[in-house]
């Protein structure tokens, strides 16, 4: 009889320990799930903020070809026609090609309202699986691209001008000094040396001018 009571007590004790262990494990899993959920919410908020501040327009199209989500830049570029639930016929062909397997393909669009040109690039939201899903379209204002190119050209022109001024100043100074000295010098051999200095530096300046003209013609 005492053995039976002892076994029952041990069984109850084992059940209690197991229940406690399971409760602690469940609480730990719950805490971990909450922490991961909070981390995911923070990451999603960060991603949304980054997308909102992007200089490119971003649109997400659902399986039906309607706008699911867009950032403020996309609304600014496309105007009132772009809103959640809307269809954008100008992008339907690009979206269909993307779903057919041409993910990453780009096209140039012209907006009738403003006359602006946009570069549109479509990618599948989840390229890993073969299922038809959302498509993300990135819009870039080509006017902004042209402005950036123009700024780069102006910066390069400024560097070229400064380099030319430095390279021309040295031989020009040598030519000027030699010309000043040649009138004062009576010795023939020294005059000949000064004349060679003038000729050499004049040819040097001529080569630089020729190189600049070739650069302007894109010969090199």
């Amino acid at each position: 009889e005492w053995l039976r009571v002892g076994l029952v007590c041990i069984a109850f004790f084992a059940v209690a320990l197991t229940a406690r262990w399971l409760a602690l494990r469940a609480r730990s899993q719950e805490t971990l799930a909450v922490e991961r959920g909070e981390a995911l919410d923070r990451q999603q908020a960060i991603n949304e903020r980054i997308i909102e501040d992007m200089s490119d327009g971003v649109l997400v199209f659902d399986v039906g070809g309607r706008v699911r989500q867009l950032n403020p830049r996309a609304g600014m570029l496309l105007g009132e026609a772009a809103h959640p639930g809307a269809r954008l016929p100008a992008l339907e062909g690009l979206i269909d090609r993307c779903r057919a397997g041409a993910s990453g393909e780009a096209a140039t669009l012209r907006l009738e309202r403003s006359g602006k040109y946009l570069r549109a690039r479509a990618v599948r939201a989840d390229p890993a699986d073969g299922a038809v899903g959302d498509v993300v379209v990135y819009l870039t204002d080509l006017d902004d691209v042209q402005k950036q190119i123009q700024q780069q050209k102006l910066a390069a022109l400024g560097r070229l001008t400064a380099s030319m001024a430095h390279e021309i100043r040295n031989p020009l100074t040598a030519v000027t000094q030699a010309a000043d000295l040649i009138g004062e010098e009576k010795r023939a051999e020294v005059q000949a040396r000064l004349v060679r200095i003038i000729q050499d530096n004049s040819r040097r300046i001529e080569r630089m001018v020729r190189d600049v003209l070739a650069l302007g013609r894109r010969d090199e």
Side-chain angles (χ1 to χ4, degrees), residues 8 20 27 43 50 52 59 66 70 72 82 85 100 104 120 122 138 152 164 175 186 203 207:
V8 171
R20 178 175 174 78
R27 185 177 300 175
Q43 185 62 47
I50 292 173
E52 287 180 0
L59 301 102
R66 297 183 181 276
L70 72 162
Y138 299 93
Q152 293 175 358
M164 284 180 56
V175 169
K186 303 302 182 183
R203 284 193 290 268
R207 282 196 302 271

Side-chain angles (χ1 to χ4, degrees), residues 73-80 109-118 141-143:
R73 180 60 174 166
M76 186 182 302
L77 291 173
L78 298 176
E80 298 178 355
L109 307 176
R110 184 180 183 276
L111 301 179
E112 296 182 358
R113 179 175 55 87
S114 61
K116 280 189 173 185
Y117 285 90
L118 302 179
D141 189 348
L142 293 183
D143 289 345

